[in-house]
Amino acid sequence: MMKEKHFSDEILNVLNSFFADGRSPHAVLIDGGSQDERQSLAKLTAKMIVCANQDMTPCGMCENCRKADEDIHPDIITVTKPDDKKFFVKSDVKKVVADAYLTPNDSLKKVYVLSEIQQMNEESQNLLLKILEEPPVYTAFVLTSQNANSVIGTVLSRVVRVRLGNSSAIEYSQKAINIVAELSAAVLSPYEFDKIQATAPLDGNKKLTAEVLELFISVLRDAIALKSGGKILCDDFKAHSTELSEKLTVKKLLDMYDAVCLLYRSLDNNPNYTLLSAVLCARI
Ligand SMILES: [Zn+2]
């Protein structure tokens, strides 16, 4: 493929792997990085999907590539939230789901680029899930999100992922790392007391709670990825995510993932932190 100067070889290798042996992905999630990087990578991915030369996509020479470069390809449809709204509008998402069944115009495939879906609420993500579960062979989706924690687990389990480097990566405290290790072990313990003990240090501590939830979400996400033959992104907790994926069902992992993500999102609304650790305890 053409070398895009903006992205590292590592990112491009991940992307290319989705197109290996003439395959083409049904749904790609691009998360992390800056919004510009996400947009630009989403554009490249969409171009690769519509390109007429699938064995060397994007060829950069065909009519599809040309139109994609000029942002005038009729089979690349970008959907965002309206400027005056906080979230994607439900009727827009419904329209995507309905239109997904219409065949493409110019290319063999058409692509919906759904940008910044941290701005899509859970109800709309569930609507989208319907089409992600069984998309027509000629329809693909490229989703971008500031961070994968805003994507519900069931949607996440339907996409292949490209994670852009996070330039503002948080340094996690050793304390948070230790708690996540304990928490991961407590999930598998038959004793309620282990869960209470693991979550107790979070009581009332806002910063620590945010760190722990963020890390724990990564562990659960990796456990889910392992179940579907995917790769681990968070090496530090490899042993824990592996054990969770071996001992828990996909459903249990997805339920837990969604519950913990919900708690994480609730941090924006200044929750009662003492109650929060009790809720966490009940959900794992
Ligand atoms: Zn092409």
Side-chain angles (χ1 to χ4, degrees):
M1 73 171 274
M2 263 181 7
K3 177 139 172 89
E4 300 274 329
K5 61 176 182 296
H6 310 296
F7 298 105
S8 67
D9 287 343
E10 196 184 338
I11 297 285
L12 294 176
N13 285 342
V14 172
L15 190 59
N16 279 327
S17 70
F18 303 152
F19 293 86
D21 308 320
R23 286 175 300 139
S24 183
H26 281 300
V28 179
L29 170 68
I30 297 165
D31 65 277
S34 68
Q35 188 169 348
D36 274 354
E37 286 176 305
R38 292 192 290 275
Q39 295 308 81
S40 158
L41 194 61
K43 196 176 159 177
L44 172 63
T45 310
K47 180 163 117 182
M48 289 172 81
I49 293 171
V50 296
C51 173
N53 297 308
Q54 280 299 302
D55 46 348
M56 53 178 294
T57 185
C59 69
M61 294 175 293
C62 71
E63 199 58 11
N64 289 320
C65 282
R66 189 185 64 75
K67 286 184 180 174
D69 282 336
E70 288 175 31
D71 291 324
I72 53 164
H73 202 297
D75 297 318
I76 299 177
I77 306 114
T78 301
V79 188
T80 53
K81 79 163 182 66
D83 285 340
D84 59 340
K85 294 278 190 314
K86 197 173 171 200
F87 293 110
F88 274 76
V89 179
K90 198 169 138 189
S91 57
D92 287 349
V93 180
K94 274 189 171 163
K95 192 170 181 320
V96 169
V97 174
D99 289 356
Y101 293 98
L102 303 174
T103 49
N105 295 291
D106 290 12
S107 173
L108 291 174
K109 286 213 163 198
K110 65 170 174 177
V111 191
Y112 288 93
V113 179
L114 300 167
S115 288
E116 304 301 293
I117 62 163
Q118 71 274 9
Q119 296 161 335
M120 187 184 285
N121 65 20
E122 214 167 320
E123 190 189 6
S124 294
Q125 288 195 32
N126 272 312
L127 279 175
L128 189 64
L129 181 64
K130 287 186 190 156
I131 191 77
L132 289 178
E133 278 173 339
E134 268 181 281
V137 286
Y138 45 78
T139 303
F141 294 87
V142 177
L143 318 177
T144 71
S145 181
Q146 211 169 45
N147 105 27
N149 299 354
S150 322
V151 183
I152 61 173
T154 39
V155 166
L156 204 64
S157 69
R158 298 285 164 184
V159 299
V160 289
R161 225 179 128 195
V162 189
R163 196 165 72 154
L164 288 165
N166 190 353
S167 49
S168 59
I170 308 162
E171 281 285 312
Y172 294 104
S173 65
Q174 191 56 48
K175 191 165 181 193
I177 292 170
N178 293 344
I179 293 174
V180 171
E182 265 185 57
L183 207 54
S184 307
V187 166
L188 299 170
S189 160
Y191 304 109
E192 197 59 26
F193 179 73
D194 289 335
K195 294 175 189 175
I196 296 170
Q197 202 172 35
T199 54
L202 301 182
D203 266 359
N205 190 332
K206 187 174 176 173
K207 187 170 173 287
L208 186 64
T209 303
E211 278 185 89
V212 166
L213 290 184
E214 239 176 76
L215 280 172
F216 191 49
I217 286 168
S218 309
V219 174
L220 292 173
R221 197 162 50 216
D222 278 348
I224 293 166
L226 284 171
K227 281 276 193 196
S228 49
K231 275 199 215 133
I232 281 186
L233 293 171
C234 188
D235 264 335
D236 297 346
F237 296 96
K238 196 175 173 180
H240 294 290
S241 45
T242 306
E243 198 181 6
L244 289 173
S245 93
E246 283 166 1
K247 295 194 175 157
L248 298 175
T249 62
V250 177
K251 183 171 187 316
K252 171 78 188 162
L253 286 167
L254 284 172
D255 285 350
M256 207 187 309
Y257 177 87
D258 281 340
V260 178
C261 283
L262 199 66
L263 276 181
Y264 181 75
R265 289 197 292 268
S266 78
L267 296 182
D268 288 338
N269 306 321
N270 282 316
N272 174 335
Y273 280 87
T274 308
L275 203 63
L276 200 126
S277 62
V279 175
L280 175 62
C281 200
R283 296 288 154 79
I284 62 172

